[in-house]
Amino acid sequence: MDSLSLSDIINESTEFIPLMTSDEEVEINNTDLPEELPILPLRNTVIFPGVVAPITAGRDKSLRLIRDIKEEPKYVGMITQKDGDTEEPTSDDVFPTGTLAQIVKSFKMPDGNTTIIIQGKKRFRILEWTTTEPYNRAKVEFLPEFVPEDDDVEFNIVMDSIKEVAAQLIQDSPHIPTEAQTALDNIKSNTFLLNFIASNSSMVLDKKQEVLELDSLKDRASNVLEGLNLELKKLEVKNEIQDKVKLEFDQQQREYFLHQQMKTIQEELGGNSSETEIEELRQRAKKKKWDPSSSERFNKELKKLQRLNPQMPEFAIQRNYLEFMLDLPYEGKGLASIDLKDATKVLDRDHYGLEKVKERILEHLAVLKLKGDMKSPIICLAGPPGVGKTSLGKSIAEALGRPYVRMSLGGLRDEAEIRGHRKTYIGAMPGRILQNMKKAGSNDPVFILDEIDKLSYGTGGDPSSSMLEVLDPEQNDSFYDNYLEMGYDLSKVFFIATANNLGAIQPALLDRMEVIDVTGYTIEEKVEIAKQHLVPKQLDNHGITKDQFSIAKPTLKSLVEGYTRESGVRNLDKKVAKLVRSTAKDIALGTEAHTKVNVERLEEILGPPRERDIYEGNNHAGVVTGLAWTPVGGDILFIESSLAKGSGKVIITGNLGVVMKESATIAIAYLKANADELGIDQNLFKAYDINIHVPQGAIPKDGPSAGITLLTALTSLFTQKKVAPKLAMTGEITLRGRVLPVGGIKEKILAAKRAKISTILLCEKNRKDIEEIEAHYLKGMTFHYISEMSEVLDLAILNQKVKGAKTLSAETKKRD
């Protein structure tokens, strides 16, 4: 007996215990059963009538109870504890409903416990506990079973469903033997079938006890079906998970064996590839001249790589990180080869004009040569498109003898593009700043930040705020990239930013940069640029020699004046390219090539020239020429005004912005307030409607600089007096009649010169802007600096009526 296992004993004993039949069920119901029973509390088990089960007893009271029951039929009351951890259960610790069971056989186990084989007979409810020593006894009442009629359709359907679900569970569960289906098929009693299934199911203890306490077999069947369905769903999910895990495990096993085979082959051919890679990284690190903290960080990350399995995805991520650390430059090109004379030649060779920019670059080179080292400045080249801001960077890099890298910031919306992603993310990459440093191969390149005013805010953060650290000489010696996860020195980098509109740059970012204005070119400068740079470049691009194409300066001047309208030379370059392509086509076709391009040839290739905005004279009252700044340079602006009989309404047209409309309102208010001094009848403002218009209505216009122009136009309109000839003006006004300074002066002066305007009215505080402009730009022009509107009107309005001047009459008497 001692050599047998517990399962052997149970199988041997239960082999001869038949399943409860319907007759036995009737017999037990008709048998006189004892009214008082010994009670055996069970842990985590619910016994159902008819079910055979092994029970192991180990508590003293339980062992004493089993020893004392000697008379047949050896009845005992099986009742379930609410908490299986309770060692000495009382009446409050057990459920009141249990099952009368018969002890079929008992065995004493080698460990001192006793195992009994019991068979449930009938349900009971405890009425009163009679004693607790030496074991529990209680008075009970036996519970009836309310069995539905044989023709109860609903009950029969539920039972059929229970059998189907039970069969499915037996089929799908790997832990239930297939013989269980045979046992179910042999059970003919519905009561016993429900009890058998409920006892052997995986329902929780409380759910099983709830089923046991139901008197109605129909209700018991519904509860059992509900529990079986839940169990089936759990089993389906469990099987799906196991199948998936098994598939993944099989795949991993397959990959593992393949990798092991590869490893063996590699060792046969000359060693482990991963160890070879790690050794190569270690040897490369010995050649790097980095600071102690960087070296310590690298060695720490290298040790982490050694601990990783080469087949894990983290191995490749860690290796890429270390390779990036090694690829980053920590040394520069040095400053020994700086030659100011050669640098001057390079800058003059590549760019015509731009004297202020060249002077600033040479200043920086001079300090570098004398001091040997300094924090590089952050320069911002601001100006209209096509003036050579970006190409200046290449020339500066060549003059410095440093590598050149360029990063376009236009439309950048994600902060991670600057600072990178954390390397824990799949597909993580360093920021574009460090990527370009890796590309440069030196820690002191000339770094062009192109179109810095085009940075935009997006869902990925604010990249312009990320640039604050990059462009601050006091902070960028330890620039933090999320991928690198340590500081990197950018203080030796010569950053050059370019921008078209300074107003679009974040103020804190603009404050960190030294702004150098790169303004537009005069016609003469454009002619020289075309002659010295554009024509040779396009000849080289199209495979044409100097003997096959020539264009004189007068023709270039006609090309600039008639076919381009810009501050830079980008469109001029396109026109020159079109002329060269026309010659290339003639040569390729074998026709007679026109080697010399003249004005007639220009019209033949490019079409008729476009008429430029020119001064239109002063023969109309209320028309004054103003000056405007645009993103592509300066321009002249015509302010037109007219009067019509009405009620004093003011109509403003021409696609004007809010600020410009406010300037018109201020001008009218000033005119009304000073009508007596200007000799204007106050009643005219009520008798006439005023219409103010700025031509080219498809183009939006805004800004305060047309203030004095608007006031001059309205004064000329109401007095019907001429405006001084060849005159243009710009300036903001106030209600008190003061004139305030405006910006974009050089671009506006160049636009006036192109329009052949000789006299300019400006605010006194703009005098310094004129003094900064080279003298050859101002040749042939006269400037008047004013502080009050009265001075503007004195200089602009002539004491002479326009031809066909209107007689303005308020007709106040007739209206009254």
Side-chain angles (χ1 to χ4, degrees):
M1 179 70 69
D2 291 345
S3 61
L4 292 175
S5 66
L6 177 61
S7 58
D8 292 333
I9 296 170
I10 294 170
N11 290 336
E12 182 182 333
S13 304
T14 55
E15 213 173 280
F16 306 103
I17 302 173
L19 299 175
M20 181 179 281
T21 64
S22 300
D23 294 339
E24 291 174 326
E25 186 177 351
V26 172
E27 182 182 348
I28 195 70
N29 288 332
N30 295 329
T31 303
D32 291 333
L33 299 174
E35 295 181 356
E36 185 176 346
L37 292 175
I39 302 299
L40 182 62
L42 301 177
R43 304 177 197 257
N44 306 318
T45 303
V46 178
I47 300 299
F48 285 84
V51 176
V52 178
I55 301 294
T56 299
R59 289 183 284 202
D60 292 339
K61 284 187 176 183
S62 301
L63 294 173
R64 179 70 179 271
L65 184 152
I66 294 170
R67 286 198 301 268
D68 287 356
I69 299 178
K70 297 177 180 178
E71 296 181 3
E72 293 295 337
K74 294 184 180 180
Y75 286 140
V76 63
M78 297 292 184
I79 204 155
T80 304
Q81 294 180 199
K82 295 177 181 178
D83 184 359
D85 295 332
T86 305
E87 284 296 325
E88 296 291 337
T90 65
S91 58
D92 295 330
D93 298 324
V94 296
F95 292 103
T97 303
T99 301
L100 172 70
Q102 181 183 6
I103 300 176
V104 179
K105 201 163 187 178
S106 64
F107 307 95
K108 191 165 184 179
M109 305 305 294
D111 58 1
N113 294 334
T114 297
T115 298
I116 59 175
I117 307 299
I118 58 100
Q119 183 177 29
K121 294 296 184 179
K122 192 173 182 63
R123 298 180 306 118
F124 67 81
R125 183 185 298 112
I126 293 177
L127 298 176
E128 179 186 357
W129 292 87
T130 57
T131 182
T132 58
E133 294 296 338
Y135 43 80
N136 297 318
R137 295 185 68 87
K139 289 184 178 181
V140 301
E141 68 169 341
F142 292 96
L143 302 176
E145 301 282 354
F146 296 108
V147 181
E149 298 295 333
D150 293 339
D151 57 353
D152 190 323
V153 177
E154 182 180 351
F155 176 72
N156 291 332
I157 292 174
V158 172
M159 291 303 301
D160 290 341
S161 300
I162 289 174
K163 292 176 183 178
E164 290 175 4
V165 175
Q168 188 68 38
L169 281 170
I170 293 170
Q171 180 181 343
D172 294 346
S173 177
H175 306 296
I176 301 177
T178 54
E179 291 80 2
Q181 183 63 51
T182 304
L184 289 180
D185 293 340
N186 291 330
I187 296 175
K188 305 304 180 183
S189 168
N190 287 334
T191 305
F192 179 52
L193 178 64
L194 285 174
N195 293 340
F196 184 81
I197 293 175
S199 176
N200 291 281
S201 71
S202 299
M203 289 189 294
V204 295
L205 189 71
D206 290 347
K207 185 70 174 177
K208 286 186 177 182
Q209 182 67 30
E210 180 185 341
V211 172
L212 179 67
E213 293 176 359
L214 293 173
D215 294 336
S216 171
L217 200 63
K218 195 171 184 179
D219 294 340
R220 196 180 304 172
S222 298
N223 277 29
V224 169
L225 180 58
E226 180 184 342
L228 289 180
N229 281 325
L230 179 61
E231 191 174 342
L232 182 60
K233 289 179 181 178
K234 289 181 180 179
L235 182 62
E236 289 174 353
V237 173
K238 182 179 178 182
N239 288 341
E240 285 179 8
I241 294 173
Q242 287 180 341
D243 291 343
K244 186 177 180 181
V245 170
K246 184 176 183 300
L247 181 64
E248 291 179 356
F249 181 75
D250 291 344
Q251 182 68 19
Q252 288 178 359
Q253 264 196 329
R254 181 174 178 274
E255 291 178 359
Y256 173 76
F257 288 127
L258 289 174
H259 282 300
Q260 288 297 111
Q261 290 176 359
M262 287 177 61
K263 182 178 178 181
T264 304
I265 294 170
Q266 287 168 350
E267 288 176 352
E268 290 291 332
L269 293 175
N272 190 330
S273 61
S274 62
E275 289 296 330
T276 304
E277 288 179 2
I278 292 172
E279 184 60 30
E280 288 176 357
L281 294 174
R282 186 179 288 110
Q283 294 302 321
R284 286 180 62 189
K286 291 180 180 179
K287 300 176 183 178
K288 300 291 290 186
K289 295 182 180 180
W290 44 27
D291 56 272
S293 62
S294 300
S295 179
E296 181 183 351
R297 176 60 183 265
F298 177 84
N299 291 329
K300 179 181 177 181
E301 296 294 331
L302 187 63
K303 289 178 182 177
K304 187 185 295 184
L305 180 68
Q306 288 178 292
R307 294 194 297 267
L308 292 174
N309 187 338
Q311 280 76 48
M312 295 175 63
E314 290 81 1
F315 184 87
I317 294 173
Q318 187 72 5
R319 182 188 59 204
N320 292 340
Y321 173 74
L322 292 170
E323 288 179 348
F324 180 74
M325 282 188 69
L326 292 170
D327 290 338
L328 275 178
Y330 289 84
E331 300 176 45
K333 295 297 182 182
L335 304 168
S337 60
I338 290 180
D339 188 325
L340 291 181
K341 291 183 179 179
D342 286 345
T344 304
K345 289 180 182 178
V346 170
L347 293 173
D348 289 338
R349 180 198 69 198
D350 294 341
H351 292 83
Y352 183 85
L354 306 177
E355 302 303 329
K356 287 178 64 177
V357 182
K358 295 176 183 177
E359 181 183 357
R360 179 64 187 87
I361 301 305
L362 292 174
E363 287 173 357
H364 176 64
L365 293 178
V367 175
L368 281 178
K369 185 171 184 178
L370 294 175
K371 188 174 182 293
D373 186 25
M374 68 174 290
K375 286 188 176 180
S376 292
I378 313 295
I379 290 176
C380 179
L381 303 177
V387 295
K389 300 185 297 298
T390 304
S391 60
L392 262 171
K394 289 185 179 180
S395 300
I396 293 171
E398 185 179 347
L400 285 169
R402 295 184 183 182
Y404 165 83
V405 288
R406 173 182 168 272
M407 176 179 170
S408 177
L409 300 176
L412 202 67
R413 300 168 64 91
D414 192 351
E415 179 190 355
E417 291 285 340
I418 307 295
R419 288 192 176 276
H421 307 80
R422 297 194 181 279
K423 69 175 186 289
T424 52
Y425 297 127
I426 295 176
M429 295 177 63
R432 290 172 62 184
I433 297 290
L434 292 192
Q435 287 185 45
N436 279 286
M437 293 300 296
K438 171 186 170 182
K439 178 182 176 183
S442 167
N443 72 341
D444 59 353
V446 174
F447 201 127
I448 304 297
L449 298 169
D450 216 3
E451 309 289 357
I452 198 169
D453 57 326
K454 307 299 190 302
L455 282 172
S456 57
Y457 182 86
T459 54
D462 184 6
S464 63
S465 297
S466 301
M467 294 298 296
L468 294 176
E469 184 183 4
V470 177
L471 299 182
D472 191 339
E474 301 299 324
Q475 299 181 36
N476 64 7
D477 58 347
S478 57
F479 170 69
Y480 186 88
D481 185 276
N482 291 326
Y483 182 83
L484 189 62
E485 292 183 335
M486 66 178 189
Y488 183 78
D489 188 5
L490 295 176
S491 62
K492 296 178 182 178
V493 180
F494 194 154
F495 284 107
I496 300 176
T498 70
N500 299 131
N501 181 14
L502 294 178
I505 303 176
Q506 187 184 126
L509 187 59
L510 185 62
D511 184 60
R512 284 163 165 76
M513 300 186 289
E514 179 182 346
V515 178
I516 298 177
D517 290 321
V518 185
T519 53
Y521 300 109
T522 62
I523 293 175
E524 292 77 15
E525 285 177 327
K526 290 181 180 180
V527 170
E528 288 298 327
I529 292 171
K531 190 71 178 175
Q532 297 179 25
H533 300 282
L534 303 184
V535 172
K537 182 185 79 171
Q538 294 300 338
L539 290 177
D540 183 61
N541 289 346
H542 294 84
I544 305 296
T545 64
K546 293 181 180 179
D547 297 334
Q548 295 172 316
F549 182 91
S550 66
I551 183 169
K553 285 187 177 181
T555 308
L556 284 173
K557 185 176 182 181
S558 300
L559 176 64
V560 171
E561 291 182 331
Y563 295 92
T564 64
R565 184 181 178 182
E566 57 179 343
S567 293
V569 292
R570 188 166 289 151
N571 284 329
L572 178 59
D573 189 31
K574 294 176 184 177
K575 300 299 180 184
V576 171
K578 184 169 181 62
L579 296 175
V580 175
R581 285 198 302 271
S582 178
T583 301
K585 183 189 71 173
D586 292 342
I587 294 173
L589 291 174
T591 58
E592 183 181 355
H594 297 79
T595 58
K596 186 175 183 180
V597 178
N598 52 26
V599 176
E600 290 77 14
R601 180 68 175 161
L602 282 182
E603 293 192 14
E604 181 182 339
I605 298 173
L606 302 177
R610 294 180 180 177
E611 184 178 346
R612 300 189 58 85
D613 286 335
I614 58 175
Y615 177 71
E616 295 183 350
N618 61 345
N619 294 323
H620 298 279
V623 179
V624 181
T625 305
L627 299 175
W629 178 92
T630 70
V632 295
D635 204 351
I636 64 173
L637 200 68
F638 297 105
I639 305 294
E640 300 178 349
S641 58
S642 66
L643 293 175
K645 288 286 182 79
S647 58
K649 288 191 300 183
V650 178
I651 303 169
I652 302 175
T653 56
N655 200 355
L656 307 187
V658 174
V659 177
M660 200 165 180
K661 288 180 179 179
E662 289 176 349
S663 296
T665 304
I666 294 171
I668 294 171
Y670 178 84
L671 201 63
K672 289 180 179 179
N674 296 273
D676 295 338
E677 290 84 351
L678 298 173
I680 300 173
D681 185 354
Q682 287 279 4
N683 294 314
L684 293 177
F685 296 109
K686 298 179 182 179
Y688 289 89
D689 291 340
I690 305 171
N691 192 338
I692 301 172
H693 178 68
V694 182
Q696 298 182 348
I699 301 173
K701 310 166 191 72
D702 202 4
S705 62
I708 63 173
T709 314
L710 286 162
L711 182 55
T712 304
L714 291 171
T715 305
S716 169
L717 180 65
F718 277 96
T719 60
Q720 290 292 296
K721 291 181 179 180
K722 283 187 176 183
V723 177
K726 300 288 185 179
L727 174 73
M729 59 188 72
T730 182
E732 183 179 355
I733 61 172
T734 70
L735 280 174
R736 293 178 293 164
R738 294 184 57 202
V739 179
L740 304 181
V742 292
I745 296 300
K746 184 176 180 181
E747 287 84 355
K748 292 176 179 179
I749 298 306
L750 293 178
K753 191 168 186 180
R754 288 196 299 266
K756 304 187 184 307
I757 293 172
S758 57
T759 306
I760 307 292
L761 298 187
L762 293 167
C763 175
E764 174 65 36
K765 293 182 179 179
N766 282 125
R767 185 189 293 269
K768 60 179 178 19
D769 297 307
I770 299 297
E771 291 172 352
E772 291 178 358
I773 301 175
E774 293 83 350
H776 63 272
Y777 286 116
L778 310 177
K779 187 177 180 180
M781 304 187 78
T782 304
F783 297 91
H784 296 282
Y785 302 102
I786 45 53
S787 300
E788 299 289 337
M789 270 307 303
S790 57
E791 299 175 48
V792 176
L793 298 179
D794 290 342
L795 291 168
I797 304 296
L798 301 178
N799 193 17
Q800 181 183 355
K801 294 285 186 177
V802 296
K803 187 177 180 181
K806 296 180 181 179
T807 301
L808 302 180
S809 173
E811 300 180 358
T812 54
K813 292 182 180 179
K814 186 180 292 186
R815 288 198 172 166
D816 293 341

